[in-house]
């Protein structure tokens, strides 16, 4: 087996007395999409900064492309692409010029960079926008252009920090399509996201983090199977007189949650539990049966409170 693209052992990062990453282990394999999930402050962006050689580890081991992160940072960066969380495109030049100027950082000659830029603009469906100024682009177009820019040095590893934040569903699905295509071409993808559906759609494996530690690791299917029930009954806005009857069902469920606007019952036998709920005087349209999701796992492990 080839060496992992990224290997971390007891990886640690602190800022003064604050421990942002607390001695974690993980590895990223060739040609996979590996995801980091977690609430704000979990340590995801800190890890991305260490992997992209923008911030040195405080302790532990971190190798990227079989080189030591930070110490071999210049060589690593030449073989890596980064799609940052924030838009940092040059708004003073055109779409095509953004790509060609970026190529200069990798000593790519214009005779090579121009056809390559045109190729990647076609890849992200911006081939007719080459002469547009950046402010004219929509949010989705800018995210796709950032992906095209990150590909100009033909990277082996592509880091994507929340690549579809703020995009509408059509733009998000187009970005997903392009990322799947890159993975089929052998590019290794490293992804942070707050969208659980995005992680389920793209990631071969992922970790869920909280307060600088890894809580679970595995494929999306494995994580769901291990850490939540296969089926969930949701009862929306039940009348007050039913609260006591619904509360009586809690011991029958694998787990139950009472939220402001609904009850959630986690169960291994959705049909049987659904019959129990519908035996109560509930409005049928307010009761849903669905499968367990990555979001159920995420909220169970990290809580429903707002974290900043």
């Amino acid at each position: 087996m080839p060496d992992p693209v990224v290997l971390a052992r007891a990886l640690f990062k602190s800022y003064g007395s604050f421990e942002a990453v607390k001695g974690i282990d993980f590895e990223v394999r060739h040609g996979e999409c590996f995801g980091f999930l977690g609430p704000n402050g979990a340590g995801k962006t800190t890890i991305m900064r260490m992997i992209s050689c923008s911030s040195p580890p405080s302790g532990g081991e971190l190798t990227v492309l079989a080189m030591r992160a930070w110490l071999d940072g210049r060589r690593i960066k030449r073989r890596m692409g980064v799609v940052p969380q924030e838009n940092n495109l040059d708004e003073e030049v055109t779409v095509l010029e953004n790509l060609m100027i970026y190529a200069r950082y990798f000593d790519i000659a214009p005779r090579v960079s121009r056809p390559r830029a045109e190729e990647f603009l076609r890849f992200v469906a911006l081939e007719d926008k080459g002469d547009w100024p950046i402010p004219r682009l929509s949010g989705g177009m800018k995210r796709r252009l950032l992906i095209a820019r990150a590909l100009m040095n033909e990277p082996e590893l592509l880091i994507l920090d929340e690549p579809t934040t703020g995009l509408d569903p059509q733009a998000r699905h187009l970005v997903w399509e392009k990322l799947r295509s890159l993975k089929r071409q052998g590019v290794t993808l490293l992804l942070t996201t707050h969208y659980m559906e995005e992680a389920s759609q793209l990631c071969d494996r992922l970790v869920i983090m909280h307060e600088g530690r890894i809580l679970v690791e595995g494929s999306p299917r494995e994580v769901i199977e291990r850490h939540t029930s296969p089926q969930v009954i949701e009862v929306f806005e039940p009348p007050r007189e039913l609260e006591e009857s619904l509360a009586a069902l809690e011991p029958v469920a694998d787990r139950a949650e009472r939220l402001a606007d609904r009850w959630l019952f986690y169960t291994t036998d959705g049909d049987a539990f659904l019959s129990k709920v519908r035996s109560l005087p509930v409005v049928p349209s307010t009761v849903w049966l669905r499968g367990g999701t990555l979001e159920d796992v995420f909220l169970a492990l990290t809580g429903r409170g707002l974290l900043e």
Side-chain angles (χ1 to χ4, degrees), residues 53 67-68 70-79 105-106:
C53 306
M67 292 177 279
R68 299 166 297 173
W70 188 251
L71 295 177
D72 295 312
R74 186 179 295 272
R75 288 194 295 154
I76 291 170
K77 288 179 179 180
R78 296 191 70 85
R79 297 168 57 186
Y105 294 113
F106 298 92

Side-chain angles (χ1 to χ4, degrees), residues 11-285:
L11 182 62
F12 180 83
K13 179 67 180 183
S14 63
Y15 298 96
S17 60
F18 174 66
E19 298 177 353
V21 177
K22 302 175 181 178
I24 64 172
D25 298 342
F26 65 89
E27 62 180 60
V28 181
R29 302 164 187 162
H30 283 266
E32 73 173 344
C33 179
F34 189 93
F36 287 90
L37 279 63
N40 292 333
K44 307 183 303 297
T45 296
T46 299
I47 292 170
M48 291 297 200
R49 287 176 55 79
M50 288 190 284
I51 293 172
S52 62
C53 306
S54 299
S55 179
S58 300
E61 175 188 354
L62 178 62
T63 60
V64 181
L65 298 166
M67 292 177 279
R68 299 166 297 173
W70 188 251
L71 295 177
D72 295 312
R74 186 179 295 272
R75 288 194 295 154
I76 291 170
K77 288 179 179 180
R78 296 191 70 85
R79 297 168 57 186
M80 172 192 296
V82 178
V83 178
Q85 187 176 140
E86 301 295 333
N87 168 32
N88 61 358
L89 296 166
D90 187 343
E91 300 201 350
E92 302 301 317
V93 299
T94 67
V95 165
L96 180 63
E97 288 168 340
N98 260 272
L99 302 190
M100 294 187 65
I101 291 170
Y102 185 76
R104 294 178 191 171
Y105 294 113
F106 298 92
D107 299 320
I108 301 172
R111 60 182 175 78
V112 176
S113 65
R114 186 179 184 93
R116 186 178 294 179
E118 292 171 345
E119 174 191 348
F120 288 133
L121 287 179
R122 285 192 297 273
F123 175 73
V124 296
L126 293 173
E127 65 271 22
D128 58 342
K129 308 295 189 296
D131 60 348
W132 280 26
I134 299 303
R136 191 176 171 187
L137 300 179
S138 68
M141 291 175 181
K142 289 177 182 177
R143 297 309 290 172
R144 281 146 49 200
L145 182 57
L146 285 168
I147 293 173
R149 189 185 66 178
L151 298 175
M152 285 298 293
N153 61 320
E154 299 185 329
E156 300 165 53
L157 171 64
L158 184 61
I159 293 179
L160 304 126
D161 197 358
E162 299 185 24
T164 64
T165 295
L167 300 190
D168 60 37
Q170 291 86 354
R172 185 175 299 131
H173 279 270
L174 181 56
V175 170
W176 292 353
E177 176 189 330
K178 300 308 177 186
L179 295 179
R180 291 190 191 99
S181 177
L182 289 172
K183 194 174 72 166
R184 287 194 297 270
Q185 295 171 36
V187 179
T188 302
L189 307 179
L190 202 54
L191 172 75
T192 72
T193 181
H194 281 121
Y195 295 116
M196 298 300 110
E197 182 187 4
E198 182 163 271
S200 297
Q201 289 277 343
L202 295 177
C203 293
D204 299 292
R205 293 187 303 126
L206 56 84
V207 295
I208 297 178
M209 296 188 64
H210 187 49
E211 296 181 344
R213 302 187 189 279
I214 292 175
L215 302 181
V216 296
E217 178 177 352
S219 71
R221 182 185 296 274
E222 290 169 345
V223 168
I224 292 168
E225 288 178 350
R226 288 187 209 136
H227 298 282
T228 194
S229 299
Q231 294 179 304
V232 182
I233 308 290
E234 299 197 32
V235 185
F236 290 88
E237 299 183 345
R240 186 169 298 175
E241 57 268 23
L242 283 183
E243 289 292 330
E244 187 174 333
S245 297
L246 290 171
L249 293 175
E250 286 191 67
V252 186
D254 296 344
R255 182 166 67 90
E257 288 186 276
R258 182 180 181 180
L259 306 180
D261 63 340
R262 65 194 188 277
W263 279 80
L264 278 72
F265 296 99
Y266 300 83
T267 178
T268 54
D269 191 340
D271 291 333
F273 205 99
L274 187 62
S275 296
K276 295 179 187 295
V277 174
R278 286 187 169 163
S279 68
L280 304 174
V282 296
V283 177
S285 62

